[in-house]
Amino acid sequence: NSRWSLTGMTALVTGGTRGIGFAVVEELAELGAEVHTCSRNESELNQRLQEWSDKGFTVTGSVCDLSSRPQREQLIEKVSSLFDGKLNILTNNVGTSIVKPTIEYTAEDYSMLMATNFESCYHMSQLAHPLLKASGVGNIVFISSVAGLVHAPVGSIYSATKGAMNQLTKNLACEWAEDNIRANCVAPWFTKTSLVENYLNGVEGKKFLGAVASRTPMKRLAEANEVSSLVAFLCLPAASYITGQTIAVDGGASVNGFP
Ligand code: NDP
């Protein structure tokens, strides 16, 4: 049934070699989409592309640092030439954090996080707009965070970039509805990815993750494919009247007032 299929659609997923982005690439490809992705590490990207081709998925990739304006422009040029000037799905996934008390952030920390997490998805949405419009059915999905909805101790700059994404989702949904482009936002809670493994691998990190699980009603972290399934759903024709929403994937964490 075509309401539950992405066959014939094209997608760009930023940061698809690991974690949530990786799961989104596989989910969209499995539902029939042709996917382009990117990351900064060429050998890891090539390895993933080989694995996807072995699985029978149609995925291509570019090396691109999403925090760079000229590299974002090159990425969209590439996508435009690959997909004939059209794009159905843009998943703005790239993001990172530096965790410090607010008074210790430097100007460099601020610029790096703003460029990587927010400016990148703002500019990618601007650049993708003509392609999304030309496709006739466009979808943008932002990967935000529960940290953009409530306080979580993962850095105030990170949380502010996610809060900005949540608002941008609403603006684009209303501004671009006339172009048949929907915009939605997925807000995960702590998810088992390389980001979490790298930051929270020590004794203190393990303790912190234990505390996260204990205040989460479902008492565990998310798997990346529990996030990617919502991303895919939002892009399906079956979700054609859903726009401007931020939806948490969080095992109940953000509605739990009595942890
Ligand atoms: P990971 O660090 O595990 O994966 C990030 C992916 O993006 C990798 O493929 C990485 O490849 C790529 N990437 C990172 N920086 C850049 C860049 N500047 N340019 C291009 N590619 C880049 O992250 P997650 O999967 O955990 O996170 C993905 C998104 O989900 C982020 O926006 C994050 O904020 C959000 N999120 C994650 C949560 C979690 O608990 N994991 C919770 C809530 C939200 P490479 O490094 O080689 O470039």
Side-chain angles (χ1 to χ4, degrees), residues 33-45:
E34 242 180 274
V35 185
H36 191 77
T37 190
C38 70
S39 78
R40 292 165 299 180
N41 181 328
E42 184 168 21
S43 67
E44 191 175 39
L45 178 65

Side-chain angles (χ1 to χ4, degrees), residues 17 20 40 64-66 93 144 158 162 191 193-195:
T17 54
I20 292 169
R40 292 165 299 180
C64 172
D65 182 344
L66 253 279
N93 166 71
S144 173
Y158 176 84
K162 299 303 189 180
T191 308
T193 68
S194 59
L195 185 70

Side-chain angles (χ1 to χ4, degrees), residues 14-22 37-42 44-45 63-68 92-97 116-117 143-147 158 162 165 186-196 198-199 221 224 227:
T14 65
T17 54
R18 297 192 306 277
I20 292 169
F22 174 85
T37 190
C38 70
S39 78
R40 292 165 299 180
N41 181 328
E42 184 168 21
E44 191 175 39
L45 178 65
V63 174
C64 172
D65 182 344
L66 253 279
S67 67
S68 149
N92 285 309
N93 166 71
V94 162
T96 193
S97 191
T116 305
N117 291 14
I143 308 298
S144 173
S145 170
V146 169
Y158 176 84
K162 299 303 189 180
M165 264 184 175
V186 170
W189 186 232
F190 289 83
T191 308
K192 288 187 220 156
T193 68
S194 59
L195 185 70
V196 161
N198 293 342
Y199 280 95
L221 274 60
V227 179

